Amino acid sequence: MTEQLDPSRRSLLKFLSSAPLLPLAGGSATAALLAACGGGDTAAPAPQLMSVSFSGMAAPSLADAPKMATTTVASAMQALYSDGKTMPYNLAYQTFFITGAQVPNGSGGTTLAGGYWDINNKPILDKTDANSRQFFSDAPDGTSLLKLASTTVSGIKGNAVFAVVQFEYTTRNVKGDSVYGMLPSPIAVLTLDQDKTTGALTLVKYHNVDTSPANGLWITCGASRSPWNTHLSSEEYEPDATVIGTNTQFANFSLNLYGDAAKANPYHYGHLPEITVNPDGTGSCKKHYCLGRISHELVQVMPDERTTLMGDDATNGGLFMFVADKAKDLSSGTLYVAKWNQKTTDNGGSATLSWIKLGSATSAEIKALADQLKAADIMDVKTADPSDASYTKIAFNGKFNWIKIVPGKEKAAAFLETHRYAAFKGGSMGFTKMEGTTVNAKDKIAYSAIAAIGSAMTNGSGGISIKGPSAGAVYALNMKAGQVDDSGAAINSEWVPVDMAAVPALLSEDLKTADALGNLANPDKVANPDNIKFSEKLRTLFIGEDSGTHVNNFLWAYNVDTKALTRILSTPSGAESTGLHAVDDINGFAYIMSNFQHAGDWEAALHGKVQATLDPLIRANYRDRYGAAVGYLTGFPALSF
């Protein structure tokens, strides 16, 4: 039943009105207060949380256009406790800031949220603006929420909590020209003051992390928190070193980072950065070079603290796995690529998986190779058939290459030309837009999001040939111990994926013709899944959508036990749902972090019916489309008096 409270407890409800999504039962101050709300002996043990369920919201429409032009939450959650009572929560969205705002720097001054900095930590200025304003991002992405054993940040009244937020890119300069990928990606540490009673978070310090020790960062997309409490970042769409001399995007990146269009080295990008938060609210950055140079997205380290499963947001991408030599240390280990042994073609397809060893290395030795080698030192690459049997034909980025490895450079090829070398070794390089990865540890199931099932995943070019749907799906991968690689050698991990199949409830549905609003995929089903995170305590997989087929993109909750799928949030039209992080327990509170990026990024075929109405609203809400939100979902008891 739903608990009813008497009027004498109104003040307590007001006190709880800003409580986070789920104050965990059994030990938190809020749980005790909720138990007290039920009446009876206040000294009795707090009831335990048994399960949660979500009540969804309708997709916003032009009937209430303002809701399509902002982050809209009209969903709820019901928490069932061991005493048989159900506590309903209305959900809401709380921002820390809109990028482009001046936020506290922790020293009595302010700094620009989402601002860009060069290799010397000097502001990068948009000189197309009459005032040469500092660039700031409209694309916040990967976020990790964490706490430390002790902190030294001043101004904290409750508990100090930290959020690491990375900014993938900025869409355009003030003039309106695209600057995608032309600026080094910033990462910030947010020091947040957590109210000890309600769990509400308040920003008290924003610190831009110095990324110069890692040669700056390239297009940081999804992220995850490691089991050892660090932020695992990403660098996607690694620049092709074989044609770097004609890559104007990379030249502009180098110019903005170093002040020299020719100084940046392409082999320094496409790796896995790791951010460590310090007690004073600053952060340090290092880059791991031994997890493969691929289009890193959202990686997942398994509970063994050694096995890392990696998505690859590419055309002709692969499913990669890294097994570290030591727990909590990604500086050395062995890299593998999966082979998709297809079983079915319909409904996203399915396969068993086997694993091909690409090589073992330390980060230091691959960094040394990256520092000194050029592409031609590693392999000879042809883009047309040389009619020479000594070359191997491979699928690469939607086309074909013919490659020949330079003798003795196999290790360099494995870790610096990973896409090409994985194809050369027989890996299934046919995945498209493989985005987030997460794990359900209890059931030993990994989940991987395919944001779009493109031609390379249907035409067999990379060893995969399925029928779609084009708007993607979330796949489940069962993991087991006792697996071997292609040579028959044991894989030293108990968390090796052995099969892969789309989750039926998380399969998109393409529409033959756009609906009345313009959606190209069924808006009541997941489409273009991107960020995904699993909550062990809630038994819920959270899924954020990328833009492409829904007029508004959504954040969904999928209960893996009941199979119920619920829409819980809608981003502004044209925006992508990013920054997803499901946190089961920080000082007794649970959180769902959620950002969005590039609001009002209009596509004629998708947004033609709404753009004229929504564009002025989004411009008014988000700094003329240059701003985007960083924040989290909150909840408060929805009780009657």
Side-chain angles (χ1 to χ4, degrees):
M1 67 178 181
T2 298
E3 184 178 10
Q4 302 294 312
L5 298 191
D6 63 53
S8 67
R9 299 191 176 113
R10 289 183 184 178
S11 60
L12 182 56
L13 280 180
K14 292 179 180 179
F15 189 60
L16 291 171
S17 65
S18 59
L21 173 68
L22 182 65
L24 295 178
S28 76
T30 302
L33 286 168
L34 293 178
C37 286
D41 184 3
T42 59
Q48 299 296 303
L49 175 70
M50 303 301 292
S51 65
V52 299
S53 60
F54 290 89
S55 300
M57 54 176 278
S61 71
L62 288 176
D64 193 351
K67 290 184 178 179
M68 297 184 70
T70 190
T71 300
T72 298
V73 179
S75 52
M77 185 191 77
Q78 296 78 40
L80 175 64
Y81 289 90
S82 56
D83 60 2
K85 296 176 181 177
T86 298
M87 178 72 77
Y89 293 78
N90 288 328
L91 302 184
Y93 184 68
Q94 178 66 47
T95 61
F96 298 127
F97 54 77
I98 304 298
T99 58
Q102 289 292 328
V103 292
N105 64 8
S107 301
T110 61
T111 191
L112 183 68
Y116 283 87
W117 309 83
D118 67 15
I119 199 70
N120 298 310
N121 293 300
K122 301 296 184 184
I124 301 175
L125 303 180
D126 183 352
K127 296 181 180 178
T128 68
D129 177 60
N131 298 316
S132 293
R133 82 176 188 191
Q134 184 180 0
F135 276 111
F136 59 88
S137 176
D138 66 334
D141 207 305
T143 299
S144 297
L145 192 70
L146 55 91
K147 67 174 182 177
L148 302 179
S150 62
T151 60
T152 60
V153 181
S154 61
I156 300 295
K157 299 177 181 178
N159 298 312
V161 175
F162 301 95
V164 184
V165 182
Q166 60 195 44
F167 301 89
E168 186 177 357
Y169 59 87
T170 195
T171 302
R172 62 188 71 83
N173 59 24
V174 171
K175 184 181 177 183
D177 297 329
S178 173
V179 291
Y180 173 80
M182 298 180 187
L183 297 163
S185 294
I187 289 187
V189 175
L190 314 183
T191 301
L192 306 168
D193 189 353
Q194 181 194 49
D195 187 289
K196 290 183 177 181
T197 303
T198 69
L201 302 173
T202 303
L203 177 65
V204 298
K205 178 179 179 179
Y206 179 109
H207 172 79
N208 186 71
V209 175
D210 178 8
T211 63
S212 61
N215 298 295
L217 303 182
W218 168 268
I219 311 181
T220 56
C221 195
S224 62
R225 187 180 69 186
S226 73
W228 51 93
N229 213 33
T230 61
H231 174 86
L232 300 179
S233 182
S234 58
E235 291 185 310
E236 68 175 3
Y237 310 134
E238 80 283 5
D240 186 353
T242 69
V243 292
I244 204 65
T246 60
N247 188 331
T248 57
Q249 177 196 43
F250 189 70
N252 278 292
F253 169 85
S254 181
L255 182 63
N256 284 310
L257 178 61
Y258 288 107
D260 181 343
K263 187 168 183 178
N265 175 353
Y267 283 137
H268 286 161
Y269 308 99
H271 302 286
L272 185 75
E274 182 174 15
I275 308 299
T276 300
V277 176
N278 302 317
D280 63 354
T282 63
S284 60
C285 177
K286 63 181 176 181
K287 197 176 288 187
H288 297 291
Y289 285 77
C290 52
L291 283 84
R293 185 170 169 268
I294 61 175
S295 188
H296 284 286
E297 179 74 29
L298 192 164
V299 308
Q300 178 65 54
V301 179
M302 298 303 157
D304 65 355
E305 301 182 333
R306 294 174 50 253
T307 305
T308 303
L309 195 62
M310 298 177 281
D312 183 21
D313 186 2
T315 301
N316 291 114
L319 175 63
F320 292 91
M321 178 177 65
F322 178 78
V323 180
D325 293 331
K326 300 177 182 178
K328 305 181 182 181
D329 183 356
L330 300 179
S331 66
S332 68
T334 302
L335 181 65
Y336 301 87
V337 66
K339 186 171 181 61
W340 167 277
N341 306 297
Q342 190 158 302
K343 294 171 60 180
T344 63
T345 61
D346 293 328
N347 300 318
S350 65
T352 60
L353 299 174
S354 52
W355 292 90
I356 297 169
K357 180 180 176 180
L358 299 181
S360 298
T362 68
S363 181
E365 65 180 313
I366 302 305
K367 169 65 163 56
L369 294 175
D371 289 345
Q372 60 180 306
L373 296 179
K374 306 294 184 186
D377 299 326
I378 300 172
M379 64 175 60
D380 186 15
V381 178
K382 306 291 187 187
T383 56
D385 190 347
S387 299
D388 183 338
S390 66
Y391 287 80
T392 300
K393 182 181 180 181
I394 64 166
F396 180 79
N397 197 29
K399 300 178 182 179
F400 290 103
N401 282 180
W402 288 258
I403 68 170
K404 182 192 295 187
I405 311 295
V406 173
K409 292 297 189 289
E410 289 80 8
K411 180 171 285 191
F415 292 93
L416 295 178
E417 287 290 344
T418 308
H419 277 131
R420 290 184 170 100
Y421 189 72
F424 172 80
K425 293 287 286 183
S428 294
M429 301 299 289
F431 292 102
T432 58
K433 298 293 292 179
M434 181 179 280
E435 307 264 2
T437 307
T438 192
V439 64
N440 169 355
K442 178 182 178 181
D443 299 328
K444 221 167 184 180
I445 297 173
Y447 300 99
S448 184
I450 302 289
I453 297 175
S455 59
M457 208 165 165
T458 62
N459 63 18
S461 64
I464 303 172
S465 183
I466 64 174
K467 295 181 180 179
S470 63
V474 175
Y475 287 75
L477 297 81
N478 291 294
M479 297 180 290
K480 294 183 179 179
Q483 303 306 300
V484 298
D485 66 21
D486 56 312
S487 72
I491 298 175
N492 187 19
S493 171
E494 297 184 354
W495 298 84
V496 179
V498 297
D499 56 27
M500 183 171 179
V503 179
L506 304 180
L507 193 69
S508 66
E509 180 185 337
D510 302 325
L511 298 178
K512 292 182 180 179
T513 58
D515 67 12
L517 197 62
N519 290 298
L520 303 173
N522 187 339
D524 293 323
K525 294 185 177 183
V526 169
N528 306 117
D530 190 331
N531 282 205
I532 56 174
K533 289 292 174 68
F534 186 73
S535 168
E536 294 284 346
K537 290 186 180 295
L538 303 187
R539 297 287 293 162
T540 298
L541 180 66
F542 295 96
I543 306 149
E545 296 181 337
D546 194 346
S547 53
T549 57
H550 283 169
V551 174
N552 286 81
N553 283 291
F554 308 120
L555 177 62
W556 302 84
Y558 173 69
N559 187 293
V560 298
D561 298 321
T562 67
K563 315 302 182 188
L565 177 67
T566 309
R567 181 192 292 111
I568 59 174
L569 178 150
S570 174
T571 66
S573 186
E576 174 184 343
S577 175
T578 63
L580 179 61
H581 185 199
V583 189
D584 279 341
D585 187 0
I586 289 190
N587 300 318
F589 296 96
Y591 297 91
I592 299 174
M593 314 305 292
S594 182
N595 308 332
F596 70 77
Q597 58 181 227
H598 57 70
D601 188 13
W602 306 120
E603 299 178 21
L606 179 63
H607 301 109
K609 299 176 181 179
V610 303
Q611 180 177 349
T613 300
L614 300 183
D615 188 67
L617 299 176
I618 285 177
R619 288 179 183 273
N621 289 340
Y622 301 113
R623 306 189 196 284
D624 204 23
R625 297 193 304 163
Y626 288 95
V630 173
Y632 67 109
L633 279 168
T634 64
F636 55 92
L639 303 177
S640 59
F641 297 108

